[in-house]
Coordinates of all heavy atoms in Angstrom, one line a residue:
C39 N -2.8 -19.7 0.6 CA -3.1 -20.8 1.4 C -2.5 -22.1 0.7 O -2.8 -22.3 -0.4 CB -4.6 -21.0 1.6 SG -5.4 -19.7 2.4
T40 N -1.7 -22.8 1.4 CA -1.1 -24.1 0.9 C -1.6 -25.2 1.8 O -1.3 -25.1 3.0 CB 0.4 -24.0 0.9 OG1 0.8 -23.0 0.1 CG2 1.0 -25.3 0.3
P41 N -2.3 -26.2 1.3 CA -2.7 -27.3 2.2 C -1.5 -27.9 2.8 O -0.5 -28.2 2.0 CB -3.5 -28.2 1.3 CG -3.9 -27.4 0.1 CD -2.9 -26.3 0.0
Q42 N -1.4 -28.2 4.1 CA -0.3 -28.7 4.8 C 0.3 -29.9 4.1 O 1.5 -30.1 4.1 CB -0.5 -28.9 6.2 CG 0.7 -29.1 7.1 CD 0.4 -29.2 8.5 OE1 -0.7 -29.7 8.9 NE2 1.2 -28.6 9.4
L43 N -0.6 -30.8 3.6 CA -0.2 -32.1 3.1 C 0.1 -32.0 1.6 O 0.4 -33.0 1.0 CB -1.2 -33.1 3.5 CG -1.4 -33.3 4.9 CD1 -2.5 -34.4 5.2 CD2 -0.1 -33.7 5.7
E44 N -0.1 -30.9 1.0 CA 0.1 -30.7 -0.5 C 0.9 -29.5 -0.7 O 0.5 -28.5 -1.1 CB -1.3 -30.5 -1.2 CG -2.3 -31.6 -1.0 CD -3.7 -31.2 -1.6 OE1 -3.7 -30.4 -2.5 OE2 -4.7 -31.7 -1.0
Y49 N -3.4 -21.6 -3.1 CA -4.6 -20.9 -3.4 C -4.5 -19.4 -2.9 O -3.9 -19.2 -1.9 CB -5.8 -21.6 -2.7 CG -6.0 -23.0 -3.1 CD1 -5.7 -24.0 -2.2 CD2 -6.5 -23.3 -4.4 CE1 -5.9 -25.4 -2.6 CE2 -6.7 -24.6 -4.8 CZ -6.4 -25.7 -3.9 OH -6.5 -27.0 -4.3
F61 N -11.3 -16.8 11.1 CA -11.6 -15.9 10.0 C -12.2 -16.6 8.9 O -12.2 -17.8 8.8 CB -10.3 -15.1 9.6 CG -9.3 -15.9 8.9 CD1 -9.2 -16.0 7.5 CD2 -8.4 -16.7 9.6 CE1 -8.3 -16.7 6.8 CE2 -7.4 -17.4 8.9 CZ -7.3 -17.4 7.6
C63 N -12.7 -16.6 4.5 CA -12.1 -16.1 3.3 C -12.7 -16.7 2.1 O -13.3 -17.8 2.2 CB -10.6 -16.3 3.3 SG -10.1 -18.1 3.5
F65 N -12.0 -18.1 -1.7 CA -10.9 -18.5 -2.6 C -11.3 -17.9 -4.0 O -12.4 -18.1 -4.5 CB -10.9 -20.0 -2.7 CG -10.1 -20.7 -1.5 CD1 -10.4 -20.3 -0.2 CD2 -9.1 -21.6 -1.7 CE1 -9.7 -20.8 0.9 CE2 -8.4 -22.2 -0.7 CZ -8.7 -21.8 0.6
Y72 N -14.4 -20.4 3.0 CA -13.9 -21.2 4.1 C -14.0 -20.4 5.4 O -13.6 -19.3 5.5 CB -12.5 -21.7 3.9 CG -12.4 -22.8 2.9 CD1 -12.4 -22.6 1.5 CD2 -12.3 -24.1 3.4 CE1 -12.3 -23.7 0.7 CE2 -12.2 -25.2 2.6 CZ -12.2 -25.0 1.2 OH -12.1 -26.1 0.3
Q73 N -14.4 -21.1 6.5 CA -14.3 -20.7 7.8 C -13.0 -21.3 8.4 O -13.0 -22.6 8.5 CB -15.5 -21.0 8.7 CG -16.8 -20.5 8.1 CD -16.9 -19.0 8.1 OE1 -16.4 -18.4 9.1 NE2 -17.5 -18.4 7.1
L74 N -12.0 -20.6 8.8 CA -10.8 -21.1 9.3 C -10.7 -20.7 10.8 O -11.2 -19.7 11.2 CB -9.6 -20.6 8.6 CG -9.6 -21.0 7.1 CD1 -8.4 -20.3 6.3 CD2 -9.5 -22.5 6.9
T75 N -10.1 -21.6 11.6 CA -9.9 -21.4 13.0 C -8.5 -21.6 13.5 O -7.7 -22.2 12.7 CB -10.9 -22.3 13.8 OG1 -10.9 -21.9 15.2 CG2 -10.6 -23.8 13.6
D76 N -8.2 -21.2 14.7 CA -6.9 -21.4 15.3 C -5.8 -20.8 14.4 O -4.7 -21.4 14.2 CB -6.7 -22.9 15.6 CG -5.6 -23.1 16.6 OD1 -5.3 -22.2 17.4 OD2 -5.0 -24.2 16.6
F77 N -6.0 -19.5 14.0 CA -4.9 -18.8 13.2 C -3.8 -18.5 14.1 O -3.9 -17.9 15.2 CB -5.5 -17.5 12.6 CG -4.6 -16.7 11.8 CD1 -4.1 -17.2 10.6 CD2 -4.2 -15.5 12.2 CE1 -3.3 -16.4 9.8 CE2 -3.4 -14.7 11.4 CZ -2.9 -15.2 10.2
K78 N -2.6 -19.0 13.8 CA -1.4 -18.9 14.7 C -0.1 -19.0 13.8 O -0.2 -19.5 12.7 CB -1.4 -19.9 15.8 CG -1.4 -21.3 15.3 CD -1.5 -22.3 16.5 CE -1.4 -23.8 15.9 NZ -1.6 -24.7 17.0
M88 N 2.1 -18.6 8.8 CA 1.1 -18.8 9.8 C 0.4 -20.1 9.4 O 0.7 -20.7 8.3 CB 0.1 -17.7 9.8 CG 0.7 -16.3 10.0 SD 1.5 -16.2 11.6 CE 0.1 -16.0 12.7
Q89 N -0.6 -20.6 10.2 CA -1.4 -21.7 9.9 C -2.8 -21.5 10.5 O -3.0 -20.8 11.4 CB -0.7 -23.0 10.3 CG -0.7 -23.2 11.8 CD -0.1 -24.5 12.2 OE1 1.0 -24.9 11.7 NE2 -0.7 -25.3 13.1
A90 N -3.7 -22.2 9.9 CA -5.1 -22.3 10.4 C -5.7 -23.5 9.9 O -5.3 -24.1 8.9 CB -5.9 -21.0 9.9
A91 N -6.8 -24.0 10.6 CA -7.5 -25.2 10.3 C -8.9 -24.9 9.8 O -9.5 -23.9 10.2 CB -7.6 -26.1 11.5
V92 N -9.3 -25.7 8.9 CA -10.7 -25.5 8.3 C -11.7 -25.9 9.4 O -11.6 -27.0 10.0 CB -10.9 -26.4 7.1 CG1 -12.3 -26.4 6.6 CG2 -9.9 -26.1 6.0
R93 N -12.6 -25.0 9.6 CA -13.8 -25.3 10.5 C -14.9 -25.8 9.7 O -15.6 -26.8 10.0 CB -14.2 -24.1 11.3 CG -15.2 -24.5 12.4 CD -15.5 -23.3 13.3 NE -16.1 -22.2 12.6 CZ -16.1 -21.0 12.9 NH1 -15.4 -20.6 14.0 NH2 -16.7 -20.0 12.2
S94 N -15.2 -25.1 8.5 CA -16.2 -25.5 7.6 C -16.0 -24.7 6.3 O -15.2 -23.8 6.2 CB -17.6 -25.1 8.2 OG -17.7 -23.7 8.3
S95 N -16.8 -25.2 5.3 CA -16.7 -24.5 4.0 C -18.0 -24.5 3.3 O -18.9 -25.4 3.6 CB -15.6 -25.1 3.1 OG -16.0 -26.3 2.6
G98 N -16.4 -25.7 -0.8 CA -15.0 -26.1 -0.8 C -14.8 -27.6 -0.7 O -15.7 -28.3 -0.2
G99 N -13.6 -28.0 -1.2 CA -13.3 -29.5 -1.1 C -12.5 -29.9 0.1 O -12.4 -31.1 0.3
Y100 N -12.0 -29.0 0.9 CA -11.2 -29.4 2.0 C -12.1 -29.6 3.3 O -12.9 -28.7 3.6 CB -10.1 -28.4 2.3 CG -9.0 -28.5 1.2 CD1 -9.1 -27.6 0.1 CD2 -8.0 -29.4 1.3 CE1 -8.1 -27.6 -0.9 CE2 -7.1 -29.5 0.3 CZ -7.1 -28.6 -0.8 OH -6.2 -28.7 -1.8
K101 N -12.0 -30.7 3.9 CA -12.9 -31.0 5.1 C -12.4 -30.4 6.4 O -11.2 -29.9 6.5 CB -13.0 -32.5 5.2 CG -11.7 -33.2 5.5 CD -11.9 -34.7 5.6 CE -10.5 -35.4 5.9 NZ -10.6 -36.8 6.0
A102 N -13.3 -30.4 7.3 CA -13.0 -29.8 8.7 C -11.7 -30.5 9.2 O -11.5 -31.7 9.1 CB -14.1 -30.0 9.6
G103 N -10.8 -29.7 9.8 CA -9.6 -30.2 10.4 C -8.4 -30.1 9.4 O -7.3 -30.1 9.9
S104 N -8.6 -29.9 8.1 CA -7.5 -29.7 7.2 C -6.8 -28.4 7.6 O -7.4 -27.4 7.9 CB -8.1 -29.6 5.7 OG -8.8 -30.7 5.3
V105 N -5.5 -28.5 7.5 CA -4.6 -27.4 7.9 C -4.0 -26.7 6.7 O -3.5 -27.4 5.8 CB -3.5 -27.8 8.9 CG1 -2.6 -26.7 9.2 CG2 -4.1 -28.4 10.2
F106 N -4.1 -25.4 6.7 CA -3.5 -24.6 5.6 C -2.3 -23.8 6.2 O -2.4 -23.3 7.3 CB -4.4 -23.6 5.0 CG -5.5 -24.1 4.1 CD1 -6.8 -24.3 4.6 CD2 -5.2 -24.5 2.8 CE1 -7.8 -24.8 3.7 CE2 -6.1 -25.0 2.0 CZ -7.4 -25.2 2.4
I107 N -1.2 -23.8 5.4 CA -0.1 -22.9 5.7 C -0.3 -21.6 5.0 O -0.7 -21.6 3.8 CB 1.3 -23.6 5.3 CG1 1.5 -24.9 5.9 CG2 2.4 -22.6 5.6 CD1 1.5 -24.9 7.4
I108 N -0.2 -20.5 5.7 CA -0.7 -19.2 5.2 C 0.4 -18.1 5.2 O 1.1 -17.9 6.2 CB -1.9 -18.8 6.0 CG1 -3.0 -19.8 5.9 CG2 -2.4 -17.4 5.7 CD1 -4.2 -19.7 6.8

Side-chain angles (χ1 to χ4, degrees):
C39 302
T40 302
Q42 190 174 40
L43 302 176
E44 302 171 30
Y49 300 108
F61 70 98
C63 60
F65 281 47
Y72 279 84
Q73 302 292 325
L74 299 174
T75 189
D76 197 23
F77 182 67
K78 63 184 179 183
M88 305 298 285
Q89 71 181 45
V92 174
R93 187 174 66 208
S94 64
S95 73
Y100 290 94
K101 61 184 179 180
S104 300
V105 175
F106 285 105
I107 303 301
I108 297 170

